[in-house]
Amino acid sequence: MNRFVPNCRTLRDRMLTEIGVKRVEDLFTPVPEKVRMRGLLNLPPAMSEMELVREYARLAKSNTSHELVCFRGAGSYDHFIPAAVDSILTRSEFFTAYTPYQAEVSQGTLQAIFEYQTMIARLCGTEAANAGMYDGASATAEAALMAMRVTGVNRVLVAGSLNPSYREVIETYLVPGGFQINEIPFGPDGLLDPGAVRTLIQGGAAAMVVQSPNYFGLVENIALASETARANNALLVVVADPISLGVIQAPGALGADIVVGDGQPLGIPMGFGGPYAGFLATSTAHLRKMPGRIIGRTEDRAGNTGYVMTLQTREQHIRREKATSNICTNQALMALANAVYLSLTGEAGFREIARQCHHKAHYLEAGLVKAGARRIFSAPFVREFALRLPGDAFEFEDRLLSAGFLPGLPVPGLGNDAMLFAVTEKRTREEMDAFIGAFSKACGEVR
Amino acid sequence: MNRFVPNCRTLRDRMLTEIGVKRVEDLFTPVPEKVRMRGLLNLPPAMSEMELVREYARLAKSNTSHELVCFRGAGSYDHFIPAAVDSILTRSEFFTAYTPYQAEVSQGTLQAIFEYQTMIARLCGTEAANAGMYDGASATAEAALMAMRVTGVNRVLVAGSLNPSYREVIETYLVPGGFQINEIPFGPDGLLDPGAVRTLIQGGAAAMVVQSPNYFGLVENIALASETARANNALLVVVADPISLGVIQAPGALGADIVVGDGQPLGIPMGFGGPYAGFLATSTAHLRKMPGRIIGRTEDRAGNTGYVMTLQTREQHIRREKATSNICTNQALMALANAVYLSLTGEAGFREIARQCHHKAHYLEAGLVKAGARRIFSAPFVREFALRLPGDAFEFEDRLLSAGFLPGLPVPGLGNDAMLFAVTEKRTREEMDAFIGAFSKACGEVR
Amino acid sequence: MEKTLFAISCPGRIGVSLPECDVPETEIPNDLARTGEIGLPQVTEGQVMRHFVRLSNRNYNIEKGIYPLGSCTMKYNPRLHEALARIPGLAALHPLSPDHTVQGTLELMHALGTCLCEITGFSGVTLQPAAGAQGEFTGLMLIRSAHLAAGEPGRDKVLMPDSAHGTNPATSTMAGMKVVPVKSNDHGMVDVEDVKAKVGPDTAALMLTNPNTLGLFDSNILEITEAVHRAGGLNYMDGANMNAMLGVARPGDMGFDVCHLNLHKTFSTPHGGGGPGSGPVCCNERLEPYLPNPVVVKNNDGYALSGMGNTSFGRLMAFHGNVGVLYRAYAYIMTLGAAGLREVTEGAVVNANYLKARLRGHYPVPFDNGPCMHEFVAGGPEMAGLGLKTLDVAKRLLDYGFHAPTVYFPLIVKEALMMEPTETETMESIDEFAEALIAIAREAREKPHLLTDAPVNTPVLRLDEVKAAKELVVVEPREES
Amino acid sequence: MEKTLFAISCPGRIGVSLPECDVPETEIPNDLARTGEIGLPQVTEGQVMRHFVRLSNRNYNIEKGIYPLGSCTMKYNPRLHEALARIPGLAALHPLSPDHTVQGTLELMHALGTCLCEITGFSGVTLQPAAGAQGEFTGLMLIRSAHLAAGEPGRDKVLMPDSAHGTNPATSTMAGMKVVPVKSNDHGMVDVEDVKAKVGPDTAALMLTNPNTLGLFDSNILEITEAVHRAGGLNYMDGANMNAMLGVARPGDMGFDVCHLNLHKTFSTPHGGGGPGSGPVCCNERLEPYLPNPVVVKNNDGYALSGMGNTSFGRLMAFHGNVGVLYRAYAYIMTLGAAGLREVTEGAVVNANYLKARLRGHYPVPFDNGPCMHEFVAGGPEMAGLGLKTLDVAKRLLDYGFHAPTVYFPLIVKEALMMEPTETETMESIDEFAEALIAIAREAREKPHLLTDAPVNTPVLRLDEVKAAKELVVVEPREES
Ligand SMILES: Cc1ncc(COP(=O)(O)O)c(C=O)c1O
Ligand SMILES: Cc1ncc(COP(=O)(O)O)c(C=O)c1O
């Protein structure tokens, strides 16, 4: 008996009597003697609640990253999260519930996710969205698989300007199925090379996977990509930073067939990488080929509006080896965080946040360039940008870390001197000026 | 319109039309021109949520007390609070509700407070308890007033070993009514001087107010005090540290008529002094003279058990100038914290916590004495104790603060060299040894 | 029904895990030691959570819907403030910490005090009172001290309209004063002539709620306060209704000498099912010397808690008041600023007048001689003709999923229904509430049993208060074992 | 019904307050700029809170009562863990922070991995998989990599009993493998002879849940795993049911080469209404080289995230998995320790067997040939005779205030009712649940319409799934304006 296990010896004995055995050990007789453990597991000694609090405080103190002023992005962003988000997420009713298998007593989760789907679809400019994927990377990989189901073609083209981690995940997901992946190079402006696209797509492709704003923060020409894809019977999968959709056109409106991304910027803490929630939005026509859960609106026997998981015949528990994906548990609570965040910020607040990210990123970029960095690409960016530094990026990183900043990410792919910066609405002018100052100083030190 | 005020100009105009006025200003016509403000209030500029978070972080950083290892008590104690307590307190249903005026939709609060009353009464060894007072000090003052209502006598005797803040509050509450207060001196052992009690009580008294463990941490002879009080038709009011009731006999069982105290040690953060919750426990016979709310069990029309506020005819909203107190809003949520804390710790956990406080306090006392402090009183203590230091207590305080400790409280009433220490279950042997070490070092420095 | 924790208790269960005691044990002397069971529940953490979560679901709350209790200002409680008040650097402070270790909190308290003075038009402030009633006591004690200091101990009468909140007379008694009721005129306001007739050399104070408990701003306020001053008395304003006046009018400008504020009403700190609140008192220079100990002062070294010297009337709480509530209220003021606070009041007043307009023709509104402020009182005399009570209307509202307004207060309106929607309600939610009340008015005529049977859609049916008072079960009886 | 946020949206309302932009604005190029409304709701913070709190009240949850979903291990989720995972020093870390700035988190991940290896009896671990299904994928990819490295690309068959969870076959497909079903014997366990007959040179792996989805521990486990090994295949254990085996038996000791764990089941991390979970994979030395990138290693400088080199089969997530879930699971293990974990398993197994015993005679339990482990499957064929379905029993349970068990799984039991009470339930709560089920069995005979009409005490009545799939309204339609 402990703080989580309620039945004391007396009760347990009564229960064993009802069961018809004498000792607890009798219940383990099906476990072959040979594998039945005799002693205890070799684990660290148990801790009381108080000791555990102290231990976690110690671990938290061994971290320092959270105290740095963050200019790093590349898939995870330091946005402000209104306190109301977590107040909802910590409601027992939401966070301790299981997947809404019994719809009549799960309307809370179901309606919330229905609203999430609506907001994501509107953000992406598509007709529909699913209930969420693990993260942006796996959503991208699943979108590629989905495109192959839709088109029956076994090859995808992936932009060279896609986040390299996403690219790795796509490979992991696609390789065992024997699918082919080809990379579309980017041009000197940092954008997809349209000529290369046209050439590569000749060989037939299920999809073109394009990130916009791309890994370097640059806005791709989605309309053009979509045209090319369409002309070649390929789908266009766009990986989008949801914040950017507050300022730039929705990929769905520009012809993207599937829009995926990570919901982290929408009310989810950076949390060393997870849990986040991938989103996947598409047109109604493709719903039946889509991976993951989807919530639909319906009625109860009295005609009251209600919500259920629908199109389950695509899913693993029904379709088994023919399922559209193996995904079962997803990241529902994080999708709820997205929904709460988007309702709080709302039309005006969300757009203002996106605008501020944009303005601040441009302010920082100009400041860093003035202080000695050089632009790498000329294409317009939203809130992330790559610069060439006057020296080794890792050396700059060290110096800026010591100055209390988490600077941009060194991007060896662009050279030893390249760094990718991200800015959120949370950064103040003061912080940026201080960062530019520290960078300036570092320029004098690194050669 | 702002994040809390929902009706935009358009809606407001519709509402004004329905009201029958043109402009909002028209609704303020009853306010005489002469006092109607023309400009805005002169307040600091408004802050966004993000800025406010930053501002509070700055303020929190200007505090340092929370980082000190705490050996201070004197009415507020650094106990461990299980995380489950706050999970309950942050349920909208509890913290945003009003006083349970409509009982049928307030059963949550009502039953919880009924359970609180039960736990407090059991802890105190009395038949009943009320729904809570502002804090321990005001509960003590109100108990004195109550005793005077019960006895019709206008004089109370107050132990000199009562917490001096409590004593001040009693005076504040009693003086305007013209009531007389006399102090009972304490003997060289730190306990009530029984001879003085017998003499003083001759003059007639509504009550004797005794703290046990007293301000110096010492356990009073409640049985004896009760006998004397009873023999002289006075009530005995005992002020108790609830944690102590896990190890020492309940004052109610020893003859106390009213037991009061502060629930802070039971799951409430020190919070720079509040909100806490005073408790007030007594016998059923005195209920009608009691201040504050009380919850009673009853039935609904179908015979289901339910809870209501009862004996409201004592209270200000019914009895007005003849009410037993003016208290209206109390500290309900903090009483709920007490109830959750006592249920989590439960019979065994609560007693173990009290025992650990006792053991650790004795360990520390012995260590400090060995290191150079001297005992002031010989009577047994529970978890607080006063020592005479080899030098000025404030000088010791300064040095120990610099060493990272919040040491005991200097008690000028016992001399410049006296300090009152408190220990909770949260203190580890390691922390105590370090504190003893720092004290030892300070002994060498202070002369 | 939710069983009590005692009913589900089972020996040996526990809801905490504690470290082993890491010091040698010291015996507790036998004659002092507690023996036998205390009788605390024995349950696991999971059982505790389930119990209280289930109990919580038996509560109405501001996040369920409109909570139109008049005089209570049940507005939305910002979530951020809950988080801010829990920052360890603000919450884990021992109240007797040396000043230099709590500069952040003292700075905040000082800044909050300054804001409240600006809002009320006063110069002195104490943040110590735990709630409105203790604020009233503080105010009257300040007045008492001033009269004593002026050598006028005979001033022990408090003039007070019959519409006053119950705490007003109860507080007067505690402050050693006697209540002299003043009449209301037929506009629901103080009868100025009656005040003039009753003030005199024994007048300690006039105690007035403004806007009053009918939700009406007393237009004669300057004449009234002046009359009291002329007679040597002082003016106390019960500021519980300050939500009607933020940035619109200030007690200090109306001739009041002192007022209290209910932070748990006007300044959005949560009510917690009955508390904690906080009832700071603001006053003018004349009363400042008597403020309770300690107050926060700013000096060269920063901020300090300081005694008022021997002019202070004393101390109200063991420490410095409900600091956690102060943290929240300051956050509210800082979020809204001057313009936002004015929006709050405008929103509150518009909402109340709109609700009143929506109910016109369905419920009588006595004293409806112009705009109300943040609330208004409807009456139920027509119900009476149908053999129904205001209580029945209230209980029926519960069936519609709403909380009821304040009932039977103020006493000067028969069968009163006192409604305060507050500014955080949308027009739509007020409409829904109004429509329910209108439907109930119709039910009262057509199907009165729906009212007398109510509530039926609640966790329990109508509860028997008489039985509760008669049988007086206030603790769970111990099980015979 | 709770209106959607879109339905209560009203132009101009907002739920956040943002600072003024403190830098000059930079224009967004016209051809890129988004124009027109996005269509996000326009509501205040109070409306958002009220909306979601009201929605929350339409959910069943572990704090309402027993949640006996078989295969889901719905146990109490400790509140402390929620607080720990939110400590800013743990939660506010950029995932691409340099190793030396995140030593605390890396240390925890390393320690958790070590614990999981001890619990499973393996030496290698990845914490990256986001859920059980991704763990399965990881496991099969490890196996695939090992076969490829051994020059056996032809091993692409996965043997799997027909009782397997749907993710098992779905995962096999994703891993480029084909499912070969193996039969269950009439004790509900794997038919050893069938395994022996089907293993061969094309066998990549046997994939087995143990205890299986009937809640039965496969007593022939050693013979089975050995047969697979002998044929050159590898053994994968689906560890979703590990709650039955903590400190009792370890997959590594049973001949398995790799297994995944569901931290959101066995290790008490909350399910969040469907996720997030976490599905770490533990494996033996043979498979370690192929683990996904990155893994946490300990070296002289402390802890580091490190690639596995080019033997790794790749990467599963953009970053390092659901770290927030790991924080909670580690807290659970540290709270319980070895003895506590064993108590968990014993409690779970006693509770399941007790529930089974209580239902004996009321519901048929196929394969009831001895003790079950942490769960068992009852069947509803008798219901069928009454024209009723397991679904009707499930829906009727909702009326009794309970969540239903898992239904229609595993597929090998007709009309299955799969029940897993978990160790955190008290005897009393299991009794109440059993009594409800028994009452429903009686109702089925006496008043079958109570079952077919059910649920009636729920926020909505039985929902029309066919209509949902046919009309396919998956987003709120835009208002015509
Ligand atoms: C007008 C008025 N005055 C005073 C009070 C008393 O305030 P509190 O309940 O905070 O003591 C109230 C509260 O209900 C009130 O409405
Ligand atoms: C036996 C079994 N295997 C695998 C899974 C899949 O786990 P997850 O939902 O975390 O992907 C489950 C979960 O339901 C399960 O019960």
Side-chain angles (χ1 to χ4, degrees), chain C residues 287-310:
Chain C
L287 297 177
E288 262 188 76
Y290 314 110
L291 284 171
N293 288 324
V295 289
V296 185
V297 296
K298 190 176 175 180
N299 56 34
N300 289 340
D301 296 341
Y303 299 88
L305 281 170
S306 157
M308 296 298 302
N310 55 14

Side-chain angles (χ1 to χ4, degrees), chain A residues 205-326:
Chain A
M208 239 164 81
V209 180
V210 178
Q211 181 175 347
S212 176
N214 67 21
Y215 185 57
F216 314 122
L218 311 169
V219 185
E220 296 279 1
N221 189 336
I222 296 302
L224 179 65
S226 151
E227 234 170 71
T228 317
R230 199 137 307 199
N232 291 276
N233 299 317
L235 301 191
L236 177 64
V237 176
V238 173
V239 182
D241 167 4
I243 289 289
S244 74
L245 303 182
V247 284
I248 61 168
Q249 285 179 74
L254 297 171
D257 298 284
I258 309 177
V259 185
V260 292
D262 200 308
Q264 183 276 329
L266 310 176
I268 302 176
M270 294 190 291
F272 204 53
Y276 297 169
F279 59 84
L280 193 156
T282 186
S283 58
T284 317
H286 297 323
L287 279 188
R288 277 160 220 277
K289 303 286 185 190
M290 193 172 67
R293 298 192 184 120
I294 186 156
I295 312 305
R297 186 181 270 167
T298 185
E299 287 181 357
D300 74 3
R301 285 180 175 171
N304 299 308
T305 298
Y307 302 85
V308 294
M309 295 199 284
T310 192
L311 293 186
Q312 295 191 62
T313 46
R314 297 164 302 119
E315 291 185 62
Q316 45 76 27
H317 60 291
I318 310 266
R319 189 60 72 83
R320 301 179 72 85
E321 57 264 45
K322 301 212 176 59
T324 55
S325 167
N326 69 340

